[in-house]
Amino acid sequence: MPELTSLSDLTETPHVEVFDDGGDPRAVRLHLEADERIPEHRHPESHVVFHLLSGSLELSLDGEPYELEAGDLVRFDGDREVAPHALKESTAVVVFASEPEP
């Protein structure tokens, strides 16, 4: 049986796990108010897919800014320094997949 959830039911901010089991891949709903920032950080040993659902934000990867609008998707290596900054109130789903073992 598939696991089903609704993003509108996830109300914690700035982020909340979409599924409670902590399985792989891991999905997080990120909600930022206008001008809210998440400090630079990494997600080592992960591949990351960032899907901006609403709003607009600047996603900094290793200090290089990328301006995203609703509907944009970005895939990057979790070893990169990432720092989202909401230009408007924004909601995204971020998926983290573990790197395969050699």
Side-chain angles (χ1 to χ4, degrees):
M1 178 86 171
E3 192 172 351
L4 178 66
T5 192
S6 171
L7 291 177
S8 62
D9 292 340
L10 305 173
T11 58
E12 292 86 359
T13 61
H15 52 75
V16 60
E17 296 284 334
V18 174
F19 301 105
D20 291 333
D21 64 3
D24 190 44
R26 185 175 145 236
V28 171
R29 188 211 33 117
L30 175 67
H31 180 83
L32 299 173
E33 296 297 328
D35 204 37
E36 190 172 2
R37 300 170 187 263
I38 302 289
E40 280 190 335
H41 62 286
R42 296 177 189 266
H43 297 280
E45 300 179 14
S46 294
H47 295 288
V48 182
V49 175
F50 188 101
H51 181 194
L52 187 60
L53 301 172
S54 65
S56 66
L57 61 79
E58 182 181 277
L59 187 69
S60 173
L61 292 172
D62 293 331
E64 187 172 342
Y66 298 89
E67 194 165 316
L68 305 180
E69 297 295 330
D72 288 345
L73 288 114
V74 179
R75 182 175 65 178
F76 57 92
D77 187 305
D79 286 328
R80 297 183 73 179
E81 287 282 340
V82 60
H85 169 218
L87 304 174
K88 298 179 185 175
E89 182 178 3
S90 300
T91 301
V93 171
V94 187
V95 178
F96 305 92
S98 297
E99 291 180 353
E101 293 189 29

